[in-house]
Amino acid sequence: MNRNKLTKRFLLLSAALTMALGQSAFAGETVALNLDDAMLRAFQTNPTVSIAQYELDSARASYNAARQSRGISITASHTTQRKGNDDAHQDTTGLWTKGIGNTHANGLTASLPIFTGGKLKGTIKQAKANYQYNEVGVQRTYNEMRSTVTDGYFNMLQADNIQKLSAESVTRLEDHLKNVQAQYDVGVVAKVDVLRSQVELANAKQTLIQAENAYQVAEANMNKIVGLPMDTNLKLDNLLVYNAYDKNMDDCLAYAADHRPELMQAKYGVDAAKGALLVARSGHMPQVAASATQQWYDSNWPGDENGNWGVGVNVSLNVFDTGVTLSKIHGAEADLKKAEETYRNTVDSVNLDVRSNYLGLREAEKRISTTKLAVEQADEDYRIAQLRYMSGVGTNTDVLDAQVALTQAKTNYTKALYDYNTSKTALETSIGVPMENPVTAVKAQAAKTAEAVKATEEAAK
């Protein structure tokens, strides 16, 4: 790849990143989006992604703090005090005095835990499990964001298609009404045919109004998901197509067992509960710590005279606390059993979720083929009904019924495509197919291209 091509590629990537991440849409503007663009915008602007990352940062800090608590801690102290006796007394010189004066003291204390009876170990285990829980939580948020964006995207596509089908129905009925009116004007058909056609047209227009409203709501929802102004006009690529899914039920269940974030989080919940139990049990164990102190005191500020030091070992043991520690242990044991049961319940819920989404996918897949055939048959039936009516053989009711059947068949086909695509996304989410943050991927690609451009420029010098 020559220098010009590298430079061009870098500029294109930079422009794409800027346009995708920037909030460039103004009220009423039309924005063209494909699914990748929508995903990129959502990951950049939706607060749930940032919240998950902040929760991970907080858990990481807590984990680091727990690990670092095994080391030496040093505290410094300073005390300034003015004091004296309540009653006067004679000092060594025979003068009466209340001994009023100042005292300034400074100290340094170093402490190192030697034995905590499992308290430190349990605290670290808890913090680590919580960190791992939130680490998986970030991936879970990414997966759920993919599902949110995809569902919103397909929901808008379906609403658009339903809106178009409703408009087609209105157009067909308007054309049919013209034919009926023309035949009525020459006395071929009765007035009842005109009236019935007018009623069906009015009903179709009402359905169109509802479909247009549903589309506007779906568009506003999509704008919210991708962080655009609510009244932005979106132009989406039509992805309501059928692409075969090749995994079987057993493959999906096996994959979910290893990749579903909720399962991993439930496991870490058990680990955290075990750590909490260690902390609770440490209340019945001795606490041993080594300490070293250095102190100074003086009547003059800052009190840095008269130093003394000391080193030693501090041992403490809870002998009696009216059952507080025992109650904490019983509570921690109950929490551990709860976490274990939660994990077992999560396994069952995940399996049910995978099965439901897989069966829903296959059911929608079957409906695609049957509804597609129904559209062809309904279209032919409507054509024949029209010809028969215009020839004076068929009835107006036959045409109207055929029109309704055609609209319903096309609507069923659209819904089958929608259900199939959303079921596929739901299935991928339920088995835990990992979603990469597209913002990170685009930035990494831009950085890689920039490095290539720089290397090419340096080689050309």
Side-chain angles (χ1 to χ4, degrees):
M1 186 178 293
N2 59 38
R3 177 181 174 184
N4 290 335
K5 288 184 177 179
L6 276 173
T7 303
K8 183 178 181 181
R9 183 180 177 188
F10 173 64
L11 292 175
L12 287 173
L13 274 171
S14 300
L17 182 62
T18 302
M19 292 178 65
L21 301 187
Q23 297 305 299
S24 58
F26 297 97
E29 182 181 349
T30 298
V31 175
L33 281 182
N34 58 34
L35 188 55
D36 291 338
D37 295 335
M39 203 72 69
L40 188 61
R41 283 181 177 272
F43 269 81
Q44 174 63 18
T45 61
N46 200 292
T48 55
V49 175
S50 299
I51 291 172
Q53 187 59 54
Y54 291 140
E55 288 176 343
L56 176 61
D57 293 342
S58 176
R60 183 188 293 111
S62 298
Y63 179 37
N64 289 336
R67 290 187 298 173
Q68 290 160 354
S69 63
R70 293 177 298 189
I72 296 176
S73 62
I74 300 176
T75 58
S77 63
H78 171 82
T79 302
T80 294
Q81 191 176 41
R82 186 170 180 81
K83 60 183 181 180
N85 298 316
D86 291 337
D87 300 318
H89 65 281
Q90 287 183 308
D91 61 12
T92 56
T93 63
L95 296 176
W96 288 88
T97 178
K98 289 188 176 183
I100 297 174
N102 298 325
T103 300
H104 306 279
N106 297 279
L108 286 175
T109 302
S111 179
L112 176 67
I114 297 175
F115 179 76
T116 62
K119 184 177 181 179
L120 273 178
K121 181 180 179 181
T123 301
I124 294 172
K125 186 178 182 69
Q126 256 188 303
K128 181 180 180 181
N130 187 50
Y131 168 67
Q132 292 171 320
Y133 180 96
N134 284 279
E135 190 174 35
V136 175
V138 172
Q139 183 61 65
R140 178 179 176 179
T141 300
Y142 289 172
N143 294 356
E144 290 174 350
M145 181 56 63
R146 173 187 58 201
S147 179
T148 298
V149 174
T150 306
D151 287 350
Y153 193 95
F154 286 135
N155 186 48
M156 183 177 165
L157 285 178
Q158 180 188 225
D160 186 35
N161 285 337
I162 297 298
Q163 177 183 237
K164 291 175 180 177
L165 290 177
S166 298
E168 287 179 9
S169 176
V170 169
T171 300
R172 283 195 299 267
L173 287 169
E174 286 176 339
D175 292 340
H176 177 64
L177 179 58
K178 291 177 183 178
N179 292 331
V180 174
Q181 185 67 51
Q183 294 191 64
Y184 172 74
D185 291 340
V186 296
V188 176
V189 299
K191 180 67 174 179
V192 66
D193 285 2
V194 177
L195 295 175
R196 175 67 190 281
S197 299
Q198 290 173 336
V199 170
E200 290 296 328
L201 177 58
N203 291 337
K205 286 182 177 180
Q206 180 178 336
T207 301
L208 175 58
I209 292 171
Q210 294 172 336
E212 289 172 342
N213 181 69
Y215 173 78
Q216 291 173 356
V217 171
E219 186 178 48
N221 179 63
M222 192 64 200
N223 280 324
K224 177 182 179 298
I225 292 172
V226 300
L228 291 172
M230 291 292 182
D231 58 349
T232 302
N233 299 315
L234 297 179
K235 183 179 180 182
L236 306 183
D237 286 351
N238 189 3
L239 300 178
L240 279 180
V241 294
Y242 169 70
N243 292 314
Y245 190 78
D246 57 357
K247 288 186 175 64
N248 58 37
M249 177 80 79
D250 292 337
D251 293 335
C252 293
L253 290 171
Y255 191 93
D258 295 330
H259 297 87
R260 180 72 179 260
E262 287 89 332
L263 283 176
M264 292 184 246
Q265 287 183 314
K267 288 180 182 178
Y268 295 137
V270 173
D271 292 341
K274 290 179 179 178
L277 182 57
L278 284 175
V279 174
R281 286 174 175 170
S282 69
H284 281 160
M285 304 295 289
Q287 307 293 307
V288 183
S291 64
T293 60
Q294 176 67 53
Q295 295 180 327
W296 302 268
Y297 67 94
D298 193 5
S299 60
N300 296 319
W301 193 88
D304 55 355
E305 300 293 336
N306 305 314
N308 60 75
W309 58 270
V311 293
V313 176
N314 302 321
V315 180
S316 64
L317 177 65
N318 178 22
V319 178
F320 179 73
D321 61 3
T322 66
V324 172
T325 299
L326 186 61
S327 295
K328 289 181 178 179
I329 292 173
H330 290 163
E333 289 173 341
D335 288 340
L336 176 57
K337 292 182 182 298
K338 174 185 174 182
E340 291 171 342
E341 289 300 310
T342 298
Y343 173 73
R344 187 171 68 85
N345 184 60
T346 303
V347 172
D348 293 339
S349 297
V350 167
N351 286 337
L352 177 60
D353 195 25
V354 173
R355 289 179 182 276
S356 298
N357 288 316
Y358 183 85
L359 293 173
L361 174 76
R362 295 309 180 194
E363 180 258 344
E365 185 177 43
K366 294 174 182 177
R367 284 196 287 120
I368 289 174
S369 57
T370 56
T371 54
K372 185 177 181 180
L373 177 60
V375 169
E376 296 173 357
Q377 294 171 338
D379 189 56
E380 179 65 12
D381 180 48
Y382 178 68
R383 187 185 67 82
I384 293 173
Q386 276 188 312
L387 292 175
R388 286 172 55 85
Y389 182 72
M390 294 176 65
S391 301
V393 179
T395 66
N396 184 49
T397 301
D398 292 338
V399 177
L400 296 177
D401 289 346
Q403 197 286 137
V404 170
L406 176 57
T407 300
Q408 188 61 52
K410 289 186 174 182
T411 300
N412 290 341
Y413 178 64
T414 297
K415 288 184 177 180
L417 285 174
Y418 168 79
D419 291 343
Y420 178 79
N421 282 277
T422 53
S423 293
K424 184 187 291 186
T425 302
L427 180 58
E428 290 181 346
T429 301
S430 67
I431 66 176
V433 175
M435 173 67 190
E436 183 181 4
N437 190 329
V439 177
T440 304
V442 171
K443 287 182 177 179
Q445 181 61 39
K448 184 177 179 181
T449 303
E451 291 178 1
V453 171
K454 183 179 180 181
T456 303
E457 292 175 345
E458 291 178 352
K461 292 179 180 179

